[in-house]
Amino acid sequence: AQTVTQSQPEMSVQEAETVTLSCTYDTSESDYYLFWYKQPPSRQMILVIRQEAYKQQNATENRFSVNFQKAAKSFSLKISDSQLGDAAMYFCAYSVRGGATNKLIFGTGTLLAVQP
Amino acid sequence: EPEVTQTPSHQVTQMGQEVILRCVPISNHLYFYWYRQILGQKVEFLVSFYNNEISEKSEIFDDQFSVERPDGSNFTLKIRSTKLEDSAMYFCASIILREKGEQYFGPGTRLTVT
């Protein structure tokens, strides 16, 4: 069974600094997607970044980038130049590419605090 | 930009009552999902829906739950007889094609069962 693990329940970063959130996953599939979703206090789920497993290049979206290590089954999120608006719960998620349903499997989340 | 909408934003109901949570997915999307998030916990998959039938459901999605796409726009989740433990945030999501990967989430409906 596929699982997603986020070992950091809480993290804190100073404004303008860089922080890295960790995520590991377990799967026997070779082709899949990985995502980071942000959930602010409003509880809306917002897609931050996605990575396709067949792509070796790490995805980047402005201040957000990932370090995807397929052999190690690791998918960390780096937030550069942290802003107060980055404070939120961050969920790592996985889905099988081309699977019957593409359901998302989520980790337990990391609560990120940004200190002014 | 098109978005997934959900109504109501907050529903309070008494134990044993039926509730229907409504979602309007993005218009050209083909796959639809419901997820649940109990307060302080992770988001859990409930059910996926494609071509007017359930394509997969989790063990949470028991006989008390049902989904329907009654017309070309709405996608509903019904809980027949609510329990206290059904109190959670319920998210609807949709995707245009399975190959695209990312799901677009609605803002959620907070269900409180008293």
Side-chain angles (χ1 to χ4, degrees):
Chain A
Q2 296 102 352
T3 58
V4 177
T5 302
Q6 293 179 251
S7 58
Q8 306 154 315
E10 297 181 18
M11 293 281 284
S12 181
V13 64
Q14 291 290 128
E15 202 175 357
E17 297 294 305
T18 295
V19 65
T20 298
L21 308 184
S22 301
C23 173
T24 58
Y25 59 95
D26 190 25
T27 182
S28 57
E29 302 286 342
S30 59
D31 201 5
Y32 48 87
Y33 298 104
L34 294 162
F35 307 91
W36 280 98
Y37 279 89
K38 171 184 177 182
Q39 187 180 46
S42 67
R43 298 190 74 183
Q44 168 87 51
M45 296 291 286
I46 302 165
L47 178 67
V48 175
I49 198 164
R50 87 171 202 175
Q51 175 79 44
E52 288 135 317
Y54 68 87
K55 289 187 178 178
Q56 292 187 343
Q57 187 171 6
N58 290 321
T60 300
E61 286 287 342
N62 301 314
R63 298 182 294 107
F64 299 87
S65 61
V66 298
N67 183 3
F68 173 48
Q69 302 288 329
K70 190 172 183 179
K73 294 180 182 171
S74 169
F75 182 61
S76 60
L77 175 70
K78 185 171 85 171
I79 306 174
S80 304
D81 186 25
S82 296
Q83 301 175 358
L84 294 177
D86 295 333
M89 182 72 91
Y90 286 82
F91 290 99
C92 180
Y94 160 99
S95 72
V96 175
R97 179 185 165 95
T101 67
N102 271 50
K103 68 179 180 186
L104 288 168
I105 298 169
F106 286 88
T108 51
T110 296
L111 183 61
L112 177 66
V114 180
Q115 309 298 332
Chain B
E1 186 176 327
E3 58 183 21
V4 178
T5 59
Q6 289 185 244
T7 54
S9 57
H10 187 195
Q11 172 123 27
V12 181
T13 189
Q14 288 191 324
M15 196 167 53
Q17 295 297 304
E18 174 184 287
V19 294
I20 297 176
L21 310 183
R22 290 183 168 81
C23 168
V24 179
I26 296 174
S27 62
N28 59 346
H29 284 196
L30 300 176
Y31 297 82
F32 314 112
Y33 306 83
W34 284 102
Y35 293 86
R36 181 181 83 174
Q37 185 184 31
I38 294 170
L39 186 64
Q41 298 187 22
K42 68 177 177 180
V43 180
E44 300 173 291
F45 167 76
L46 288 178
V47 66
S48 60
F49 193 85
Y50 169 70
N51 200 25
N52 281 320
E53 60 183 25
I54 291 172
S55 45
E56 185 175 352
K57 59 184 180 180
S58 72
E59 61 274 9
I60 302 168
F61 195 89
D62 61 22
D63 292 343
Q64 293 299 311
F65 291 88
S66 62
V67 289
E68 194 177 34
R69 188 157 163 81
D71 52 42
S73 59
N74 290 282
F75 178 50
T76 62
L77 174 69
K78 184 195 297 187
I79 309 175
R80 287 191 185 77
S81 178
T82 50
K83 308 183 192 74
L84 293 176
E85 53 265 37
D86 293 328
S87 295
M89 196 78 164
Y90 288 82
F91 292 101
C92 173
S94 69
I95 189 171
I96 184 168
L97 292 170
R98 293 205 313 263
E99 293 74 21
K100 287 293 185 181
E102 66 264 32
Q103 295 178 19
Y104 293 85
F105 280 78
T109 292
R110 185 175 152 206
L111 177 64
T112 302
V113 182
T114 61

